[in-house]
Amino acid sequence: MALIVQKYGGTSVGNTERIKNVARRVAKYRAQGDQVVVVVSAMSGVTDGLIKLAKDITLLPSEREMDMLLATGEQQTIALAAIALHSLGLPAVSLTGAQAGIVTDGVHTKAKIQNITPSEVHKLLDAGNVVIVAGFQGQTPEGAITTLGRGGSDLTAIALAAALKADLCQIYTDVDGVYTADPRIVPAARKIPEIAYDEMLELAGSGAKVMQLRSVEFAKKFNVVFEVRSSLNDNPGTIVKEETNSMENVVVRGVSFDKNQAKITLFGVPDQPGRAARIFRALSDAAINVDMIVQNASHGGGVPATDLSFTVDKPDLAKASHVIDGLKATVGFKETVADENIGKLSIVGVGMRSHSGVAARMFDVLAHEGVNIGMISTSEIKISVIIELSKGEQAMRALHKAFLE
Ligand code: ASP
Ligand code: MG
């Protein structure tokens, strides 16, 4: 007998037919004698719909009230899932995040879990129930309802699995698992049977979004092994876990392309201490996330100058350009160019630690495809380059062919 936490995302509970399917799947595990805790998201579109209702009234609704509102989405699904299990003759009880013992800090709309006391969950499981918990929500020690940030039901599931010391944590979604590349772009992409937390984090940070990043970080910290799999079939999914020695045999685990990046270049920045600090302090004060930064060698006589490029999330480009324009006099650069037509191409794999020549091979492949490299950044297990947006898909296919086929 195992204790299993299963999380079903918005599309997996997108209508009553799908909710009945969830109940059937849970019933199969119960029939094997397993104890099951089910975590559900709001039905697909519900959270967005609730946000829209509030924004129809005011563009700046109170964050406390947004949590009160958004938490209702998941509460619909827990009740419907319990009703679906009852109709199959199975005892089931739904619990809000608070009832399940999930305590968070008071940062409304992006609260952090502080601790979980799942005594009620244990009690109900021991009495033979399937326990259905509302994802994405918790409660402060003072009793205010909070939510965990968009996509936060993943975090509820991983955190509950850790608190309950579950034997298995399954994240059911609308894809079969984590792929070596987006199969819509790279037809030869394959499902990855096993992936290390760090690889999953780097791939997610590179635009391959299967799960909420924070929940993978949490899983890594508490060593929660989980499986990402589809609720639409019975195929085995991708196991996400601590790195093992054999994982290093594969040099590249996956290829990704993040179209959500834009580049700003400042020409003629005086090459003197404090200029970069001023630029990036101003961006950070404006809550703009900077990803890659490249500074060129100094050029020119007199006060030497340099060119500086960096990337930001595409939606932040206008705001970032505005901040930079405001610095022209104090920082003293000559001109700026913003480029939206770029993307970040990455290869990721823990095997890069023990294999050499990976970057050279990547750049060879790109050269052969006639793809120009604008910026480069590396970590121990990732190489990323900024390239022209329109070359992204071709470059992905070429890299996949070179490293993964
Ligand atoms: N319903 C929430 C959202 O749409 C949480 C989740 O689905 O994980 O972001
Ligand atoms: Mg969702």
Side-chain angles (χ1 to χ4, degrees):
M1 185 187 83
L3 170 55
I4 306 176
V5 173
Q6 299 185 335
K7 182 259 173 178
Y8 293 91
T11 38
S12 301
V13 292
N15 55 46
T16 48
E17 221 27 70
R18 293 252 169 104
I19 292 174
K20 287 196 233 168
N21 280 335
V22 167
R24 278 183 218 115
R25 190 181 293 269
V26 172
K28 256 198 280 175
Y29 281 90
R30 282 297 290 140
Q32 296 168 24
D34 297 321
Q35 291 187 318
V36 188
V37 173
V38 179
V39 174
V40 289
S41 288
M43 295 166 77
S44 56
V46 166
T47 307
D48 288 336
L50 292 170
I51 292 173
K52 187 166 181 309
L53 287 178
K55 297 258 154 119
D56 279 350
I57 300 173
T58 168
L59 282 175
L60 274 180
S62 139
E63 291 184 327
R64 180 192 184 279
E65 301 309 328
M66 284 312 285
D67 277 352
M68 190 63 92
L69 179 65
L70 296 193
T72 64
E74 271 69 13
Q75 283 174 223
Q76 296 177 2
T77 327
I78 51 172
L80 290 170
I83 291 166
L85 279 159
H86 296 163
S87 74
L88 297 180
L90 280 179
V93 178
S94 67
L95 297 177
T96 64
Q99 289 173 326
I102 298 174
V103 177
T104 73
D105 63 21
V107 183
H108 284 291
T109 76
K110 32 183 181 304
K112 288 208 168 67
I113 296 178
Q114 283 181 336
N115 59 71
I116 301 183
T117 314
S119 45
E120 186 64 18
V121 178
H122 279 302
K123 205 164 86 194
L124 289 166
L125 284 174
D126 290 344
N129 294 288
V130 173
V131 179
I132 303 165
V133 178
F136 177 55
Q137 56 174 263
Q139 176 178 276
T140 65
E142 295 77 34
I145 292 177
T146 52
T147 63
L148 308 175
R150 294 307 304 268
S153 300
D154 287 335
L155 185 59
T156 304
I158 301 276
L160 260 181
L164 294 166
K165 301 190 175 59
D167 300 291
L168 201 60
C169 179
Q170 300 172 322
I171 306 289
Y172 285 93
T173 174
D174 50 0
V175 295
D176 262 6
V178 184
Y179 276 70
T180 50
D182 184 341
R184 287 166 303 186
I185 298 167
V186 183
R190 300 179 314 269
K191 183 166 43 185
I192 303 170
E194 280 187 359
I195 189 168
Y197 295 123
D198 286 333
E199 292 174 324
M200 178 92 169
L201 285 166
E202 291 284 20
L203 277 176
S206 306
K209 287 236 161 57
V210 185
M211 265 178 83
Q212 192 206 36
L213 221 74
R214 248 176 84 197
S215 58
V216 183
E217 280 161 2
F218 191 99
K220 180 185 171 188
K221 191 162 158 202
F222 293 95
N223 205 3
V224 179
V225 178
F226 62 92
E227 180 185 12
V228 179
R229 53 186 294 175
S230 171
S231 65
L232 308 173
N233 59 48
D234 285 321
N235 300 339
T238 299
I239 307 279
V240 188
K241 60 180 204 181
E242 195 51 70
E243 186 179 330
T244 59
N245 286 339
S246 67
M247 283 184 177
E248 288 208 8
N249 297 338
V250 177
V251 182
V252 173
R253 186 86 51 206
V255 178
S256 68
F257 187 59
D258 185 358
K259 298 179 181 169
N260 190 37
Q261 298 260 318
K263 178 170 92 169
I264 296 182
T265 303
L266 282 63
F267 292 99
V269 183
D271 200 359
Q272 289 169 337
R275 307 289 164 147
R278 247 177 262 170
I279 295 166
F280 293 105
R281 163 62 49 211
L283 290 166
S284 134
D285 287 347
I288 293 164
N289 225 342
V290 173
D291 184 14
M292 276 197 217
I293 303 173
V294 169
Q295 182 180 309
N296 291 319
S298 273
H299 51 72
V303 176
T306 181
D307 302 334
L308 186 78
S309 299
F310 59 88
T311 62
V312 297
D313 290 344
K314 206 164 271 179
D316 284 342
L317 180 61
K319 197 164 145 200
S321 298
H322 184 73
V323 169
I324 294 297
D325 286 344
L327 295 173
K328 196 160 183 176
T330 49
V331 175
F333 55 86
K334 295 215 169 56
E335 56 167 332
T336 61
V337 172
D339 189 356
E340 275 195 289
N341 293 312
I342 56 135
K344 182 170 76 169
L345 179 68
S346 306
I347 55 176
V348 172
V350 290
M352 282 183 205
R353 286 203 196 106
S354 47
H355 292 77
S356 56
V358 185
R361 183 142 169 241
M362 177 184 192
F363 302 158
D364 273 343
V365 171
L366 295 177
H368 187 77
E369 294 291 316
V371 175
N372 190 44
I373 298 172
M375 298 166 90
I376 301 170
S377 82
T378 61
S379 79
E380 248 195 319
I381 64 163
K382 176 167 93 163
I383 303 169
S384 299
V385 294
I386 295 294
I387 63 169
E388 206 180 306
L389 190 59
S390 63
K391 296 269 170 79
E393 303 196 345
Q394 171 202 347
M396 263 181 105
R397 285 189 283 268
L399 288 177
H400 195 275
K401 186 150 199 211
F403 285 103
L404 287 149
E405 292 169 36

